Amino acid sequence: MSIIYFLIGCSILLALGFLCAFFWAQRKGQHDDLYTPSVRILLDDDTSGEAEK
Amino acid sequence: MLVNTTTKSTCYHCGQDCEETTYQFDEKEFCCVGCRGVYQVLSQSGLCNYYNYNEHPGANRARTDKRFEYLDEPRIISDLVDFTDGGITIVTFYIPYIHCSSCIWLLEQLHRLNPAIYYSRIDFLKKQVNIRFDNSKITLRQVVELLFDIGYEPHINLQDVVKKQSAGQKDNLVRKIAVAGFCFGNVMLLSFPEYLGLSGQEESFRQFFGWLNIVFSLPVAFYSGTEYFTSAYHNLKNKVLNIDFPLALGIAVLFIRTVAEILTHSGPGFADTLCGLVFFLLVGKFVQRKTYYHISFERDYRSFFPVAVQVISDEGEKPLPLSDLKVGQRIRIRNNEIIPADAILLKGNAMIDFSFVTGESAPVNKTLGEIIYAGGRQMGEALEMEIVKPVSQSYLTQLWNNEAFTRQQDNRMQTFNERVSKHFTIVLLVIAFGSLFFWLPFDWQRGLSAFTAVLIVACPCALALSTPFTMSAALSVFDRNFFYLKNTAVVEQLARINTLVFDKTGTITNNNNKVLTDHTTLSATQRQLVQSVCINSGHPLSRQICAYLGAGTVLPVSAYNEVPGKGIRAVIGDHLVAIGSSEFVVDGGYELGNTTMVHVTIDDFYCGYYSFNHQYREGLQDVAALSPDYNLYLLSGDQDHERRELLPYFNNTNMLFRQSPQQKLDFIKELQSRGKKVSMLGDGLNDAGALKQSDLGIAITDNVNNFSPGSDAILDGRSLKSFPRFLKFAKDTVKVIHISFFISLTYNLIGLSFAVTGKLSPLTAAILMPLSTATIISFTSIATHVAAKKRQLL
């Protein structure tokens, strides 16, 4: 059963990884604006072609 | 009535009706040159997709005379930009007009309008755009002018410049919640085996889990929970007992007992309760923190005044930041610019619109040599003026030196939470020490465990959560009804108010709507003449007469002369038409004096007049019905000619007219000294002092992005009719809080019955704490929702 020590160690390390990822996202400002991207994704790229020179 | 011969078309850009001449381009119709100009700019760059996402996404561009010279001043530039070096400048602008997906699309395509702009990104909720551009190819001023050309004028004011320097500090709340939640989850998992029972041979696991639990509790107690300790310490120093003290005590006891139990192998400890407690408390704090991105409650005169003003000196004109203005300098004020400081008029025909200061919308004529107070807006030709007082000491801004603005705003009213927690803490400590001394003679260990158990069980987690959750639910209900409160404490103040003081103009009257009454004796052809004259004028009253007369055939005007603030003389065919004030139209005519009147003469024959009365906002009736439960007062800076119309709504003795801003403030003070809880409702800079002085200042505005004076709450004018219901709902929410206090006290009593015997198992604590929390949160949310339904606010 001593494998449990190892497994719990692994799971905590993994969880810590996620926690660090969250901090990183927070510091990069990924949670600053939660609305605009939802609109932005609905806007099409220009297909008229007149702009692309 | 005449038959409509011109069909109304709507402007392709902004969607307004094209009143008279339409401007055509690309077979599309526009209401003004400005709108057409924007379309031309966009179509040249192939950005017409802008019009595909939404119907008429543009802002009306009737005014196109803005000046941005001041943006060439290095000092102002350095105040505005976020970052700049040799090649790149980054700047963030607040653009009030951002309102739809077209705006996002267009403003993120700026690089196609000008390649020197590298990148622009929108934050829709904050209505901000962040622009990065090459400052060697394009200046800040050109960027702003480009934005202005496409119809998105950034809102640049002194306060933004100031705000940059005192950027808000963050307390890492989200990070603390993340840490607490992370530890909470892991600790619960590690506590499970203990609760389910471990056999003797798994003793080593018990040790291992225990140590891990301690490790996970460390960051929770010493990082996430620190603010409770510091806050409790500060409050003790100031001899205040608030809810943070029992919370901090609970956290400390939980942690110490957990460590002690695990080290002495006497039990599993309370690590999961500790982590859960801190996690829920922080979530409560987070919920309470509501942010209105685009509404500012802290505005003062600085956000109303321009950033810079043109100063005339021997070297010529140059823009100067307002803070550098000195007495004796000569300034130039152009059409539609605001006078920033009290100044003497030296040159030019001054027609000053003081609507913002006094609420009077008709422009006032000033003669040379007169002192003009700051805050007026010049309508007409450019003026030259000499400053007689610095900006900070001008008539209007003096208000801000009043003590009302410098005193602490926090200690206005004690919230229910604060009052209860004081008693709660005392009772809690009495019970805890009581059980300690009760057991001491028999069994000191049991006494100690009873003492700590009481502190753990009675830890007022649910108490601390009931207020934030109820209030934030209430806030979002108000929010939905266009009533924006600064913070959650305001709801309780709203429930306690018993006196309402109203400003008149702009608060209970509708600013942009006057009721036109027709007192003319005009034939159909004469109406057509009046219509044809008025259609040439941009004055709001002419516009309204046009709208009233409806669209008819417009006759060509051969001579046209408009005297600002006086009236219009025009020749149509062989008729001479004069429209305007009595002295302009009728020699030595008469004025009733209580309404705005526009007289009409045709060929020197008097044909009567149109009168314009203020229209009261919808819902004044409902507000007036609040009496006698509430004392209603009216304070107005105007003359008392509307006294009679207002009698149905207010007691005659409760109406005070001709009040200066200072008098308004003093009146509120006087009411407060008689023990009244006063709420002031106002809309202008002239009410700012009274708003600040009152227990609850509510600014009324027709557009929350416009200026509103600093206040505790901002009410959209459309919602005045709901105001009585808001008051009732605020009382309901306070009731909900009271009931939830009782619920959490019941839980506490159940827990205490376990605790005082010293037989509290960690499992009981682990079940009781989340259970009470969940009950409180669901109860408050549901009860608030029901109350809002009852008051028809949802």
Side-chain angles (χ1 to χ4, degrees):
Chain A
M1 282 301 279
S2 46
I3 189 73
I4 285 192
Y5 292 114
F6 175 71
L7 287 176
I8 285 183
C10 283
S11 77
I12 286 174
L13 274 180
L14 195 65
L16 274 173
F18 282 117
L19 188 67
C20 292
F22 176 80
F23 284 163
W24 173 80
Q26 186 70 17
R27 218 183 24 248
K28 283 279 181 197
Q30 289 195 25
H31 306 292
D32 290 357
D33 181 7
L34 301 172
Y35 181 81
T36 320
S38 67
V39 179
R40 204 176 276 136
I41 197 165
L42 298 174
L43 302 174
D44 307 322
D45 293 335
D46 250 0
T47 47
S48 57
E50 58 186 349
E52 301 301 322
K53 303 241 160 41
Chain B
M1 266 311 291
L2 276 174
V3 187
N4 283 6
T5 47
T6 51
T7 49
K8 281 268 165 97
S9 54
T10 51
C11 172
Y12 184 73
H13 176 73
C14 71
Q16 293 202 351
D17 288 343
C18 303
E19 288 289 345
E20 51 267 13
T21 38
T22 52
Y23 300 84
Q24 301 215 333
F25 185 79
D26 255 4
E27 294 148 32
K28 297 182 175 65
E29 302 205 318
F30 298 94
C31 66
C32 60
V33 183
C35 289
R36 186 178 61 180
V38 175
Y39 178 81
Q40 284 168 332
V41 169
L42 296 184
S43 64
Q44 277 161 13
S45 311
L47 291 170
C48 283
N49 258 353
Y50 178 60
Y51 296 99
N52 300 345
Y53 290 111
N54 294 280
E55 289 266 308
H56 311 303
N60 183 271
R61 292 291 311 268
R63 278 186 44 215
T64 52
D65 52 345
K66 290 289 288 196
R67 309 265 191 158
F68 297 108
E69 288 99 335
Y70 64 87
L71 289 171
D72 287 335
E73 278 297 296
R75 280 210 20 230
I76 296 178
I77 291 179
S78 66
D79 277 341
L80 284 175
V81 299
D82 307 337
F83 167 84
T84 182
D85 67 3
I88 289 182
T89 299
I90 301 174
V91 66
T92 308
F93 288 121
Y94 168 62
I95 301 183
Y97 187 66
I98 292 177
H99 73 294
C100 67
S101 51
S102 291
C103 308
I104 298 177
W105 181 83
L106 180 63
L107 287 171
E108 296 197 340
Q109 302 282 349
L110 287 181
H111 59 274
R112 282 169 51 184
L113 285 162
N114 189 327
I117 295 177
Y118 292 130
Y119 140 110
S120 51
R121 268 186 109 69
I122 291 233
D123 187 327
F124 188 82
L125 292 181
K126 294 190 181 128
K127 297 184 189 254
Q128 284 177 348
V129 60
N130 181 289
I131 299 176
R132 196 175 299 183
F133 60 90
D134 181 346
N135 54 23
S136 59
K137 295 201 183 76
I138 185 171
T139 63
L140 182 71
R141 178 180 164 187
Q142 286 166 317
V143 172
V144 173
E145 281 170 352
L146 173 71
L147 286 170
F148 180 75
D149 284 341
I150 58 172
Y152 289 93
E153 186 195 335
H155 183 88
I156 302 171
N157 65 35
L158 271 178
Q159 223 179 355
D160 292 341
V161 176
V162 175
K163 209 190 304 179
K164 282 266 161 62
Q165 292 154 351
S166 58
Q169 47 199 343
K170 289 182 180 161
D171 58 352
N172 288 332
L173 185 59
V174 175
R175 189 177 295 195
K176 283 177 180 165
I177 292 177
V179 170
F182 167 81
C183 296
F184 180 41
N186 279 300
V187 167
M188 277 213 292
L189 208 60
L190 294 170
S191 304
F192 245 105
E194 183 73 54
Y195 294 148
L196 298 176
L198 287 163
S199 61
Q201 46 187 276
E202 285 147 348
E203 191 56 40
S204 57
F205 283 132
R206 184 173 300 204
Q207 281 304 299
F208 175 61
F209 291 150
W211 278 106
L212 274 181
N213 273 346
I214 291 184
V215 170
F216 278 122
S217 307
L218 282 171
V220 173
F222 293 102
Y223 174 65
S224 299
T226 38
E227 52 188 301
Y228 289 99
F229 294 119
T230 50
S231 150
Y233 172 70
H234 283 304
N235 282 312
L236 278 186
K237 259 201 346 202
N238 302 331
K239 302 205 168 41
V240 188
L241 271 183
N242 72 344
I243 198 144
D244 285 346
F245 178 70
L247 287 176
L249 201 63
I251 294 171
V253 168
L254 275 168
F255 183 74
I256 293 166
R257 189 164 162 177
T258 303
V259 174
E261 279 194 9
I262 290 171
L263 290 185
T264 57
H265 306 311
S266 56
F270 295 84
D272 56 341
T273 312
L274 166 68
C275 297
L277 173 78
V278 174
F279 176 68
F280 286 125
L281 284 176
L282 292 175
V283 168
K285 238 190 188 136
F286 181 75
V287 165
Q288 194 167 12
R289 188 174 302 181
K290 185 159 180 70
T291 42
Y292 294 108
Y293 289 119
H294 55 276
I295 303 179
S296 164
F297 293 95
E298 302 297 342
R299 289 180 180 144
D300 59 17
Y301 64 96
R302 287 174 311 192
S303 45
F304 175 64
F305 284 169
V307 178
V309 63
Q310 292 290 103
V311 172
I312 308 165
S313 59
D314 303 337
E315 297 102 60
E317 277 188 42
K318 75 182 266 239
L320 208 63
L322 277 201
S323 49
D324 295 2
L325 279 186
K326 291 183 186 65
V327 174
Q329 279 179 321
R330 297 182 60 164
I331 55 171
R332 185 184 299 282
I333 302 289
R334 297 198 199 78
N335 183 17
N336 261 322
E337 282 184 353
I338 287 167
I339 298 160
D342 298 357
I344 294 179
L345 181 61
L346 302 174
K347 206 160 99 187
N349 177 9
M351 291 299 302
I352 313 288
D353 168 9
F354 278 113
S355 62
F356 192 75
V357 183
T358 59
E360 181 53 59
S361 55
V364 185
N365 199 334
K366 295 277 185 186
T367 52
L368 294 183
E370 232 182 312
I371 290 189
I372 302 181
Y373 289 131
R377 188 188 286 273
Q378 160 68 354
M379 319 284 281
E381 60 184 53
L383 307 176
E384 271 186 37
M385 314 177 73
E386 185 177 304
I387 294 178
V388 291
K389 274 193 180 161
V391 177
S392 57
Q393 283 166 28
S394 292
Y395 168 68
L396 250 190
T397 47
Q398 263 181 354
L399 267 180
W400 270 265
N401 306 334
N402 187 296
E403 57 176 28
F405 289 90
T406 48
R407 68 179 174 153
Q408 277 294 315
Q409 288 287 320
D410 311 331
N411 47 11
R412 285 180 142 184
M413 287 192 213
Q414 262 203 328
T415 57
F416 174 71
N417 210 333
E418 285 160 355
R419 277 179 301 148
V420 168
S421 38
K422 195 166 103 187
H423 303 297
F424 180 89
T425 312
I426 293 168
V427 172
L428 172 68
L429 289 175
V430 166
I431 295 176
F433 281 104
S435 50
L436 174 67
F437 292 126
F438 177 80
W439 289 112
L440 264 189
F442 314 103
D443 178 355
W444 68 268
Q445 271 177 320
R446 193 164 178 181
L448 210 57
S449 83
F451 174 72
T452 49
V454 169
L455 292 182
I456 288 170
V457 160
C459 184
C461 173
L463 282 190
L465 288 180
S466 64
T467 308
F469 276 92
T470 315
M471 288 310 185
S472 71
L475 235 50
S476 61
V477 170
F478 283 132
D479 192 11
R480 212 177 286 182
N481 289 282
F482 310 111
F483 186 31
Y484 308 96
L485 305 186
K486 186 161 131 185
N487 57 37
T488 48
V490 176
V491 182
E492 270 188 73
Q493 286 172 6
L494 195 63
R496 237 177 280 170
I497 291 295
N498 57 17
T499 306
L500 299 171
V501 181
F502 292 87
D503 165 56
K504 182 173 76 71
T505 318
T507 304
I508 59 172
T509 62
N510 224 334
N511 260 351
N512 29 20
N513 254 341
K514 290 189 170 181
V515 184
L516 181 148
T517 329
D518 192 346
H519 298 281
T520 57
T521 49
L522 293 173
S523 64
T525 37
Q526 287 175 317
R527 278 164 167 259
Q528 214 175 326
L529 291 175
V530 173
Q531 158 89 351
S532 311
V533 173
C534 286
I535 213 151
N536 293 297
S537 156
H539 195 279
L541 295 182
S542 318
R543 283 247 168 285
Q544 213 171 331
I545 292 174
C546 274
Y548 165 75
L549 291 172
T553 325
V554 178
L555 305 168
V557 178
S558 49
Y560 179 87
N561 174 23
E562 183 167 353
V563 184
K566 295 269 191 284
I568 310 167
R569 280 205 178 83
V571 178
I572 301 181
D574 52 0
H575 295 287
L576 171 70
V577 182
I579 300 170
S581 68
S582 65
E583 67 235 38
F584 179 81
V585 172
V586 194
D587 292 330
Y590 60 96
E591 285 282 343
L592 288 176
N594 62 346
T595 48
T596 315
M597 287 156 75
V598 174
H599 302 265
V600 179
T601 62
I602 296 178
D603 298 327
D604 288 332
F605 176 74
Y606 184 68
C607 306
Y609 62 91
Y610 296 102
S611 68
F612 294 87
N613 274 332
H614 270 303
Q615 190 187 2
Y616 296 120
R617 278 188 202 275
E618 185 194 1
L620 187 58
Q621 211 84 41
D622 310 330
V623 172
L626 284 170
S627 171
D629 303 349
Y630 291 82
N631 300 321
L632 303 181
Y633 292 92
L634 180 86
L635 293 182
S636 171
D638 282 3
Q639 307 294 330
D640 63 353
H641 45 60
E642 279 183 64
R643 195 179 273 273
R644 236 168 346 119
E645 285 96 342
L646 285 164
L647 273 178
Y649 307 111
F650 295 94
N651 274 341
N652 198 7
T653 47
N654 289 0
M655 286 195 272
L656 298 169
F657 292 90
R658 289 184 292 275
Q659 299 285 307
S660 72
Q662 185 63 43
Q663 281 173 308
K664 286 184 179 182
L665 195 154
D666 294 337
F667 181 77
I668 302 264
K669 246 193 204 146
E670 197 265 326
L671 282 177
Q672 284 172 326
S673 67
R674 285 195 273 142
K676 302 255 194 270
K677 294 272 177 275
V678 187
S679 172
M680 168 85 199
L681 290 91
D683 75 316
L685 212 44
N686 53 338
D687 306 314
L691 287 171
K692 201 85 175 169
Q693 176 65 44
S694 68
D695 298 299
L696 174 62
I698 302 175
I700 293 197
T701 172
D702 286 309
N703 176 356
V704 287
N705 294 325
N706 282 0
F707 174 88
S708 54
S711 59
D712 302 308
I714 293 178
L715 175 67
D716 193 301
R718 288 169 293 175
S719 291
L720 187 68
K721 59 177 184 299
S722 318
F723 189 64
R725 298 207 303 272
F726 291 154
L727 291 169
K728 288 201 181 81
F729 179 65
K731 283 189 158 62
D732 292 342
T733 47
V734 171
K735 262 192 216 118
V736 169
I737 292 182
H738 290 193
I739 296 170
S740 62
F741 264 64
F742 275 109
I743 296 177
S744 75
L745 278 179
T746 318
Y747 273 113
N748 273 342
L749 287 174
I750 296 171
L752 278 176
S753 58
F754 285 102
V756 288
T757 57
K759 290 261 186 270
L760 175 80
S761 74
L763 186 58
T764 322
I767 291 172
L768 258 184
M769 206 270 313
L771 188 67
S772 65
T773 308
T775 319
I776 290 296
I777 292 176
S778 48
F779 168 77
T780 52
S781 318
I782 293 168
T784 316
H785 188 84
V786 169
K789 272 258 191 294
K790 192 171 89 182
R791 304 291 175 205
Q792 296 153 18
L793 293 174
L794 274 181

